[in-house]
Amino acid sequence: MRIAKPGPVSARQWTPVTLANGALALLLEGGILVSLFLWGLHTGTGTFTGILIGLGSAVLAGVVWGAFLAAGGPKYPLPAGPEIALKLAVFAVAALALSAVANSTAAWIFAALSVLSVAVEYTAVGPPAEPGPAAQPGPTAEPGPTVTEAL
């Protein structure tokens, strides 16, 4: 086994494990937004400020996720190591937010499932993919007459 970036969703090879992990990842990503929103509601001094803090933190997490971590191809792709670290950091912030508003057991379960999902997503089984056949130089066509020769 080795660490490898999963690549765009359309190019992945789906197995029952990766399909189940994709569903888990989608639920965890939604859990990030929900836990940050609930944390904002809990943190704000009033309902309005709580909603603002909750929406702001969830939107910020969504922007970071979409820019650097989106499964369909992020706007700013990162190498595998920093991508894994950032993904785990976002999950950790969400777990901490969840622990502030719910019991710590829910936060630990969320954190454990997050680590499991990232481990499955970035683990490749088998040898690395072989590069395609080397480009063979083909026959070259003789250049045609130039404009001055044709006149």
Side-chain angles (χ1 to χ4, degrees):
M1 287 196 273
R2 59 190 164 71
I3 296 174
K5 288 182 75 157
V9 174
S10 61
R12 294 183 190 175
Q13 293 180 349
W14 294 99
T15 65
V17 171
T18 57
L19 187 61
N21 189 58
L24 174 62
L26 182 64
L27 290 173
L28 290 170
E29 291 164 15
I32 291 170
L33 302 177
V34 169
S35 65
L36 290 173
F37 180 74
L38 291 175
W39 169 81
L41 283 178
H42 182 74
T43 303
T45 56
T47 304
F48 183 71
T49 58
I51 290 172
L52 284 179
I53 293 171
L55 285 176
S57 61
V59 166
L60 179 61
V63 167
V64 168
W65 197 273
F68 300 105
L69 305 170
K75 185 166 181 75
Y76 307 104
L78 297 172
E83 184 174 304
I84 292 169
L86 181 60
K87 190 171 278 196
L88 289 174
V90 172
F91 280 129
V93 167
L96 289 172
L98 188 59
S99 72
V101 297
N103 62 17
S104 61
T105 303
W108 279 109
I109 290 170
F110 181 85
L113 289 174
S114 300
V115 170
L116 175 69
S117 176
V118 171
V120 169
E121 182 177 4
Y122 288 90
T123 300
V125 178
E130 302 255 341
Q136 298 292 329
T140 58
E142 293 294 320
T146 62
V147 175
T148 55
E149 291 174 348
L151 293 176

